[in-house]
Amino acid sequence: MHQLVEQIANQDIRALARAITFVENDSIEKLQIMQDAYSIKKNGMYIGLTGSPGAGKSSLVNRLISQIRTEGKTVAVIAVDPTSPFSGGSLLGDRVRMNEHFTDDGVFIRSMATRGSLGGLARATKDALRLCDAFGFDVIIVETVGVGQSELDIMKIVDTTAVVLTPNSGDVLQIFKAGIMEIADLFVINKADLPGVGKLKAMLRELIHMTKQDRYQPQIVKTITTENEGIEALWEKLKEHHAYVYASSEGKKRLEEQRKLEVLELIRDEIWRDVYQYVQSHPDFSSNLTNTDPYNLASSLYMKWKKEGR
Amino acid sequence: MHQLVEQIANQDIRALARAITFVENDSIEKLQIMQDAYSIKKNGMYIGLTGSPGAGKSSLVNRLISQIRTEGKTVAVIAVDPTSPFSGGSLLGDRVRMNEHFTDDGVFIRSMATRGSLGGLARATKDALRLCDAFGFDVIIVETVGVGQSELDIMKIVDTTAVVLTPNSGDVLQIFKAGIMEIADLFVINKADLPGVGKLKAMLRELIHMTKQDRYQPQIVKTITTENEGIEALWEKLKEHHAYVYASSEGKKRLEEQRKLEVLELIRDEIWRDVYQYVQSHPDFSSNLTNTDPYNLASSLYMKWKKEGR
């Protein structure tokens, strides 16, 4: 077993942080680490939280952590920074949380950022969730600013995805357009002390009715983070959906599809690693390419890799 | 030569639209189409425009089209919709443009959306730009909402990337953090009739000074789309940078790196297409996987493909 994973099994939190850095940087040891980590995985509850910048996700997660801690459960949070020039907020959010839960050994918080790694952010984040699971955290939360496909992809590993909205934020139509309804298991109307809550709730109900027929009907929870209102209800709804996923045939189907997707992703990453190294060191690739047809060169290099590259 | 490309060579605009759909859907014929298209490519000017939602990119591009048309040059615009639940605007933007340039044969506008295609949006967009080039458009503009890595990747095919900002939008630090300085060749301060222009310009100057030493110094252009102010200056600056790219050693190096990246992407997509089909039809993949270690299964399936899969 990889030394880092042995240390993780022994509750070495620094080893967990190091292992996450390994997957973030797409280290060559990654697959070995993840295979070993999977062999000691527990049954952590995987929760995803997404929503627009400014929806108050960080503070909401902060409150949720405290709520979960009252049950004595441990919590790991992976905060994903999509490295978007226009996403905003995430760094500050982490700092806020760090201050409050810094001294609590039952809470682990880590941010991840796109490094243009081969596998990409979504893949690295999924591995990070599994590493936290292997460590033994009871609840593992991934928080993303839902600003791109890769952020949505992250949600394809969690058991339950909560979409955080605010009144009058005008997100609803965008949600419908982006097909985020597909991944939404629960809607949180945060900042529910602002005007427009009733209208938003009605629109959500309609969207749910239109898109979720014969499927799990996402609940709608209202929260006011500043007042710590609705946090307990949110936690209950999260547990409710989690139980549904593991009890229902719809849930099992979802887990099965997630697993298949994950296997495909992992294979793609492995291939990419192989081919990347082969091509980078190939003479055809080193010469002046500016006036070369990239499509022809790609085909010929692929053919050559197929012949020699293994 | 592929029939669609023959039709494109004969200025059949419907064939261009169909070919773009082929690459968007990652059709099996894609590589053939693109090889043929590359063989008839002209020397179109590739421009990228990115910026936060609400920066007014669509209207700006709309004005820019009219400006370019005054020189009799033809323009193709690929508007990328990152399928983000929170990006906003893009659909409306297209409609606005369509109305104004609908009847102008010298203008082609197409939106592209993430379809979760294997190659991904960035790859399909680059192919679409090359198809427009093969058709013979003089200027090819790709407009993206800069909300994610894949949107930034798109800029790695254009000759010139303009980053659109607005006063007091608070984007500047995010830009720095996201490393978008790396891809910015020109900054556009749009809505320059709003307060805060001077401050934004000063901050940009500082960022440029900090990050672009011994490299091309991005210019800053102020525009007021509603007044059609600064559009001509913007067009001049775009041409200025374009000339620099093809004249300077820094520019040649950039084109060379872009080409290498593109070849790597194309190879990855081709392999992935092969492996994907192999894995999808493999018995190990069809059985119940929910309790299977995805990391082990991925390794073993990849090994099997390497042995049998060709």
Side-chain angles (χ1 to χ4, degrees), chain B residues 8 12 26 47 60 69 82-83 102-103 114 125 142 176 185 188 212 228 239 256 266 295 298:
Chain B
I8 288 170
D12 179 344
D26 210 45
I47 296 173
L60 188 66
R69 294 295 293 142
T83 328
F102 189 62
T103 57
T114 309
T125 303
V142 56
F176 189 60
D185 305 308
V188 182
K212 295 278 189 176
N228 201 27
K239 287 189 286 188
E256 179 76 9
L266 289 163
Y295 303 97

Side-chain angles (χ1 to χ4, degrees), chain A residues 64-300:
Chain A
L64 189 58
I65 293 170
S66 309
Q67 175 65 39
I68 297 168
R69 294 295 292 142
T70 62
E71 294 185 4
K73 290 192 161 77
T74 57
V75 187
V77 176
I78 303 292
V80 177
D81 174 351
T83 329
S84 159
F86 313 109
S87 63
S90 138
L91 276 179
L92 177 62
D94 292 347
R95 226 170 279 120
V96 170
R97 279 188 298 245
M98 291 312 283
N99 293 340
E100 184 156 332
H101 298 288
F102 190 61
T103 58
D104 182 349
D105 291 342
V107 178
F108 173 78
I109 295 165
R110 165 73 177 244
S111 357
M112 299 191 62
T114 310
R115 303 266 177 97
S117 73
L118 305 183
L121 182 61
R123 183 63 252 155
T125 303
K126 293 174 185 181
D127 292 336
L129 293 176
R130 293 199 178 280
L131 289 166
C132 294
D133 190 0
F135 185 93
F137 283 101
D138 301 314
V139 182
I140 301 139
I141 300 173
V142 55
E143 172 201 332
T144 74
V145 176
V147 286
Q149 195 57 43
S150 70
E151 287 67 47
L152 295 181
D153 288 344
I154 292 166
M155 294 309 163
K156 291 178 184 153
I157 196 182
V158 299
D159 305 316
T160 299
T161 299
V163 175
V164 184
L165 302 170
T166 53
N168 303 329
S169 58
D171 290 337
V172 174
L173 281 182
Q174 292 297 331
I175 281 180
F176 190 61
K177 179 180 149 214
I180 203 176
M181 288 303 293
E182 299 307 310
I183 64 161
D185 304 308
L186 177 68
F187 286 100
V188 182
I189 303 181
N190 195 26
K191 305 182 182 178
D193 48 348
L194 297 177
V197 174
K199 184 158 164 284
L200 176 57
K201 196 168 181 178
M203 287 175 79
L204 282 175
R205 282 230 178 87
E206 201 156 314
L207 277 180
I208 292 166
H209 179 71
M210 285 165 61
T211 55
K212 295 278 189 176
Q213 283 165 2
D214 316 322
R215 289 166 57 195
Y216 183 87
Q217 299 282 308
Q219 309 268 316
I220 303 171
V221 183
K222 287 185 281 185
T223 55
I224 306 171
T225 314
T226 49
E227 311 291 325
N228 201 27
E229 261 182 55
I231 307 299
E232 188 172 359
L234 169 59
W235 175 228
E236 290 308 317
K237 296 294 181 194
L238 288 168
K239 287 189 287 189
E240 203 176 282
H241 178 268
H242 184 263
Y244 172 82
V245 169
Y246 285 87
S248 67
S249 59
E250 182 190 347
K252 289 198 181 67
K253 190 162 166 292
R254 166 204 182 119
L255 296 172
E256 179 75 9
E257 279 161 8
Q258 286 181 341
R259 187 57 53 97
K260 285 192 170 185
L261 175 70
E262 199 175 357
V263 171
L264 286 168
E265 282 178 351
L266 288 162
I267 296 173
R268 186 184 49 198
D269 296 352
E270 284 310 294
I271 296 167
W272 183 224
R273 188 194 309 280
D274 284 0
V275 178
Y276 187 83
Q277 282 160 2
Y278 175 80
V279 171
Q280 284 287 4
S281 58
H282 198 287
D284 298 359
F285 193 69
S286 55
S287 54
N288 183 321
L289 302 180
T290 310
N291 298 312
T292 317
D293 172 353
Y295 302 98
N296 278 319
L297 181 57
S299 314
S300 78

Side-chain angles (χ1 to χ4, degrees), chain A residues 85 174 259 302 306 310, chain B residues 85 174 259 274 292 306 310:
Chain A
Q174 292 297 331
R259 187 57 53 97
Y302 178 37
K306 275 190 165 189
R310 317 175 312 180
Chain B
Q174 292 296 332
R259 187 56 54 97
D274 286 359
T292 316
K306 276 188 165 189
R310 316 176 314 183

Side-chain angles (χ1 to χ4, degrees), chain B residues 5-66:
Chain B
V5 180
E6 276 174 5
Q7 293 165 334
I8 288 170
N10 297 326
Q11 302 287 301
D12 179 344
I13 198 74
R14 285 192 212 74
L16 174 59
R18 270 200 305 278
I20 292 176
T21 303
F22 271 63
V23 298
E24 205 173 27
N25 298 338
D26 210 45
S27 149
I28 189 78
E29 297 168 64
K30 187 184 83 177
L31 198 60
Q32 186 55 50
I33 291 173
M34 292 313 301
Q35 284 178 8
D36 295 341
Y38 191 88
S39 71
I40 61 162
K41 83 177 176 70
K42 318 294 184 296
N43 290 310
M45 177 179 175
Y46 290 41
I47 296 173
L49 235 104
T50 189
S52 60
K57 288 183 303 301
S58 300
S59 318
L60 188 66
V61 169
N62 197 24
R63 293 290 198 182
L64 190 56
I65 293 171
S66 309

